[in-house]
Amino acid sequence: MNTMINEAYETTPKHNKQPMYGLQVDKMGCRVSISINDETLGNYFDIGGFSTTETINGHIVRSGNQTLKVMVYPRNGAQFIDDLAHIKLELFFVAQKGDPMDSYKNLKTIELPKGLKDKKLPYFEINVPFEANVPWDYSSFYDNLVDLRKVPDIEKKVVSEYEKIKNMIVANDQNSYVNLRVKNKKMEYETFYMTKDEIKEYIESIAKDATPLENKEVLPIKNYELVFEKGGKKVLLRDKNTRDGIIRVEYGSINTEGDYKGQKSKEMYLSPNLILAKGKTEFESL
């Protein structure tokens, strides 16, 4: 593990200028899915109101034009988007990682247009272009990946790969699991300007998935949908209804009372992103 952490830090490019891009998400009365440059940032399907701040550097491949896509769905139990739906997104920029909040610059504010209730829409989409200037360029990395939409029997192959990953978690095969999951994390290390301690914490959080947790149970892979992103260069499985990760791990103490009596107290939802380099036959995790 220490060797892996040292190598990751030493081979990651360092930058004096560390611009940060982020998105403040506030929503209620609807379900929202947000992507940056054809890659999911988050699925906010929580019942009721929800607020969070997301850093989006890891979704910016290179400087230039970027696209923020917002997909809005009716709240749970509703057929159409109604007047209870509310969204406010603030796209922001800060010139240097760690700068105070008062130095943040608001680039865009996105809200739902008025009158959607009368249109009886089961879905509404907003596309927002913006510019970013970053000190990295991963274009060549993505150019060297196969368009997985063109691979024969791709769904069968992806499900098989997910079963292998699930079995690593079941067997607590931490070595195989970590080696698979961290191989292509250089972009995350660089775009978040991670220190050595941050890289250590990040890799250890991944390793936790394949450790012998209390009352650990890994559930079968079912009720999934196949999702292509990055123009087909990346694929994953996710829960068809909730859009959570499809490899579900339950663990922790057993609840002894209340609505969750008999259930474990903690859970993880995992959906590794898979890629295939040109000239290769084995999937890798992104």
Side-chain angles (χ1 to χ4, degrees), residues 94-264:
V94 61
Q96 190 71 12
K97 179 181 178 181
D99 280 358
M101 286 296 295
D102 58 9
S103 66
Y104 283 39
K105 179 182 178 182
N106 190 320
L107 301 178
K108 304 265 186 177
T109 298
I110 304 103
E111 297 182 278
L112 286 176
K114 295 181 180 179
L116 286 186
K117 175 187 175 182
D118 299 330
K119 296 181 180 180
K120 296 187 181 301
L121 298 175
Y123 167 81
F124 186 74
E125 181 176 312
I126 306 170
N127 288 283
V128 182
F130 68 98
E131 291 282 324
N133 187 14
V134 295
W136 61 79
D137 187 339
Y138 279 85
S139 303
S140 59
F141 174 81
Y142 282 98
D143 288 343
N144 192 48
L145 299 181
V146 171
D147 185 343
L148 295 165
R149 297 170 298 186
K150 300 178 180 178
V151 173
D153 299 320
I154 183 61
E155 180 174 341
K156 181 179 178 181
K157 292 174 180 176
V158 170
V159 172
S160 176
E161 189 68 18
Y162 264 60
E163 289 290 348
K164 290 179 185 177
I165 295 171
K166 187 194 78 171
N167 289 337
M168 291 177 192
I169 297 171
V170 171
N172 297 316
D173 185 357
Q174 191 178 81
N175 187 55
S176 298
Y177 183 77
V178 171
N179 282 325
L180 173 72
R181 294 298 309 277
V182 307
K183 182 178 180 180
N184 293 297
K185 293 298 184 183
K186 178 184 173 183
M187 182 176 177
E188 291 193 47
Y189 305 148
E190 181 177 4
T191 59
F192 287 93
Y193 317 110
M194 287 189 186
T195 64
K196 189 173 182 179
D197 284 343
E198 288 171 334
I199 290 175
K200 178 177 184 292
E201 183 179 350
Y202 182 66
I203 292 178
E204 287 177 346
S205 71
I206 293 174
K208 179 185 175 183
D209 301 344
T211 54
L213 303 169
E214 179 187 12
N215 295 316
K216 179 177 175 180
E217 179 183 6
V218 186
L219 304 186
I221 295 173
K222 60 183 181 179
N223 194 38
Y224 65 81
E225 61 182 357
L226 187 72
V227 180
F228 295 99
E229 297 186 338
K230 288 293 187 187
K233 300 297 182 71
K234 188 183 83 170
V235 67
L236 65 141
L237 300 179
R238 69 184 180 195
D239 187 282
K240 190 180 295 184
N241 297 322
T242 65
R243 298 194 178 184
D244 288 328
I246 200 65
I247 301 177
R248 181 176 172 183
V249 183
E250 295 183 348
Y251 66 102
S253 58
I254 307 296
N255 293 305
T256 58
E257 56 185 20
D259 295 338
Y260 300 99
K261 183 177 181 180
Q263 297 182 23
K264 298 178 180 69

